[in-house]
DNA sequence: TGACAAAGTGAACGGCTCTTCATAGATTAT
DNA sequence: ATAATCTATGAAGAGCCGTTCACTTTGTCA
């Protein structure tokens, strides 16, 4: 379809990617505010001015990173949710996918969380809007799965919005742990814990 | 015991409190980095220099706020955990207390979370250390309660550290919601949801 | 009342960071 | 080979912010 892009264009895109990679590294380790454009330029071996040839400004750099991450994660997660199988199976797979996905992309995961979880909290900027909108697609799909499970009497009759909130909170807690102390426990264990706590009862000896 | 403090001292402390109140307001709304000392001074109706007579520097202002908040919350929460009653009852009361406590102190709660949850994530500064240490006392008490519940076969035999992580993640998710959209649902509902999801089974039709 | 101390003030300083732009270099087209 | 176009450079501009300090005002006490 699209004609082979010119060498110039290919190199331009390559440089863009290199800069994004460095920015991801620095933002995820030091945070957005404490990363200076000069830091990124130095580590990427470009001059500051060059960054501004490829990105509008510092926010655009951040946004490119966030949007890419949120889109990739969202795509993978919605894919699992539309997979065949019972509602419970799909939810289980959602949890597993989330755990492995994040475990394999720790720097990206840090950025993702800084946006989605922290967002609304302390407004990180005006940057969240777009990213949050995308993330919310996942949440509404999750909600639909819960709703359908409730209709089929597979799942207790609790406001599905609240079930979403609960499942996200629970699984995020374990993903946080994964991100902060990656060697502590493998991703599967974390996924199993989320599933057990959420779907099995913790409290023995019936009511 | 201590002799009546002089009027000077009382007013000094009053001014200190006024400044702290303004700082809490601004930090919780705009975030630490984006709040300038000049902003605080203006809103508190003092000159910048006066802030520096009462606080070492900007960090000290933040730390005073955080430490006070974390200490108050921690005290209330440890109190409930050492209350008489079964492990399950104590955990239930912990959840309820947490919900009402935070619902009644929303600006403070925002700061608290920015420290405890977000901390370790993107290092907010070196400020967390002390606050985090205090918060971890609550976590280890929670862990002890779980451990004891497991010993008495009241609670499923899952690594208590993980149960703590899960319970915190779950209840924090609801507390977040409470903070972000206070009119959405009352604190008791949030507490009930945490308890139901954590202690009852979501998944019907036992396998 | 007058002198001493404490509290309050805000302009000025220095450091840091984002962003721009005139210049230099490289690549492509003629 | 030469002109034209695109890319890279980094010093300089401009603004913001934390902090200081010489000075003024207010309160205390003899």
């Amino acid at each position: 379809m699209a004609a082979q892009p010119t060498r110039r264009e290919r190199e331009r895109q390559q440089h863009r990617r290199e800069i994004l990679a460095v920015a991801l590294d620095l933002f995820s380790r030091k945070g957005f505010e404490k990363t200076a454009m000069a830091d990124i330029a130095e580590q990427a071996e470009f001059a500051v001015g060059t960054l501004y040839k490829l990105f509008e400004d510092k926010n655009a750099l951040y946004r490119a990173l966030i949007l890419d991450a949120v889109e990739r994660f969202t795509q993978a997660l919605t894919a699992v949710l539309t997979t065949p199988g019972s509602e419970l199976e799909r939810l289980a797979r959602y949890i597993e996918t989330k755990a492995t996905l994040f475990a394999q992309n720790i720097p990206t995961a840090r950025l993702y969380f800084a946006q989605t979880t922290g967002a609304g909290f302390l407004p990180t900027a005006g940057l969240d809007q777009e990213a949050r909108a995308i993330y919310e697609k996942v949440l509404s799909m999750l909600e639909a799965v819960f709703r359908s499970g409730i209709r089929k009497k597979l799942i207790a009759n609790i406001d599905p919005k609240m079930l979403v909130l609960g499942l996200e909170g629970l699984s995020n807690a374990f993903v946080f742990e994964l991100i902060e102390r990656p060697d502590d426990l493998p991703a599967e264990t974390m996924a199993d814990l989320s599933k057990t706590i959420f779907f099995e009862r913790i409290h023995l000896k019936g009511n």
Side-chain angles (χ1 to χ4, degrees), chain A residues 110-171:
Chain A
R110 287 181 177 223
L111 267 200
Y112 179 89
F113 274 119
Q115 275 300 305
T116 57
T117 305
F121 235 6
L122 304 183
T124 314
L127 315 170
D128 354 339
Q129 297 289 36
E130 217 172 336
R132 232 183 135 61
I134 294 172
Y135 174 65
E136 260 155 24
K137 275 193 249 167
V138 178
L139 296 186
S140 70
M141 283 195 78
L142 257 185
E143 191 182 325
V145 175
F146 275 119
R147 202 185 305 280
S148 149
I150 293 170
R151 217 180 300 115
K152 295 187 190 162
K153 309 252 190 221
L154 288 170
I155 291 174
N157 185 21
I158 298 173
D159 178 354
K161 274 199 166 43
M162 294 300 125
L163 288 176
V164 169
L165 211 55
L167 180 56
E168 284 295 287
L170 189 62
S171 58

Side-chain angles (χ1 to χ4, degrees), chain A residues 7-69:
Chain A
R7 129 160 286 122
R8 262 218 149 96
E9 186 55 21
R10 270 181 289 133
E11 289 190 338
R12 188 185 159 84
Q13 291 306 323
Q14 177 56 29
H15 293 172
R16 218 184 116 92
R17 277 192 297 274
E18 285 174 26
I19 290 165
L20 282 171
V22 170
L24 174 59
D25 177 49
L26 291 176
F27 286 159
S28 76
R29 286 194 293 110
K30 315 202 310 173
F32 178 74
E33 321 261 6
K34 292 196 173 160
T35 301
M37 290 299 267
D39 296 343
I40 301 173
E42 192 188 13
Q43 188 165 329
E45 294 177 84
F46 285 106
V48 213
T50 308
L51 305 197
Y52 284 87
K53 286 277 157 64
L54 292 167
F55 299 91
E56 179 87 358
D57 57 15
K58 196 185 174 190
N59 279 355
L61 197 44
Y62 192 53
R63 192 159 41 234
L65 236 26
I66 283 290
L67 281 181
D68 177 67

Side-chain angles (χ1 to χ4, degrees), chain A residues 63-204:
Chain A
R63 192 159 41 234
L65 236 26
I66 283 290
L67 281 181
D68 177 67
V70 173
E71 267 159 12
R72 284 188 300 116
F73 280 43
T74 295
Q75 195 188 357
L77 291 174
T78 56
V80 223
L81 283 178
T82 52
T83 242
S86 81
E87 281 74 8
L88 288 168
E89 286 165 345
R90 275 183 282 156
L91 290 170
R93 248 172 279 141
Y94 171 80
I95 295 171
E96 289 153 15
T97 306
K98 191 167 164 182
T100 55
L101 203 58
F102 285 27
Q104 283 161 8
N105 297 276
I106 291 184
T108 307
R110 287 181 177 223
L111 267 200
Y112 179 89
F113 274 119
Q115 275 300 305
T116 57
T117 305
F121 235 6
L122 304 183
T124 314
L127 315 170
D128 354 339
Q129 297 289 36
E130 217 172 336
R132 232 183 135 61
I134 294 172
Y135 174 65
E136 260 155 24
K137 275 193 249 167
V138 178
L139 296 186
S140 70
M141 283 195 78
L142 257 185
E143 191 182 325
V145 175
F146 275 119
R147 202 185 305 280
S148 149
I150 293 170
R151 217 180 300 115
K152 295 187 190 162
K153 309 252 190 221
L154 288 170
I155 291 174
N157 185 21
I158 298 173
D159 178 354
K161 274 199 166 43
M162 294 300 125
L163 288 176
V164 169
L165 211 55
L167 180 56
E168 284 295 287
L170 189 62
S171 58
N172 282 349
F174 289 117
V175 174
F176 282 8
E177 187 70 11
L178 215 57
I179 288 171
E180 290 195 65
R181 283 177 281 282
D183 346 86
D184 224 38
L185 276 180
E188 308 114 45
T189 310
M190 291 295 176
D192 286 345
L193 282 164
S194 298
K195 287 186 280 180
T196 305
I197 294 180
F198 200 74
F199 291 113
E200 313 293 329
R201 85 185 315 167
I202 290 301
H203 168 195
L204 305 176

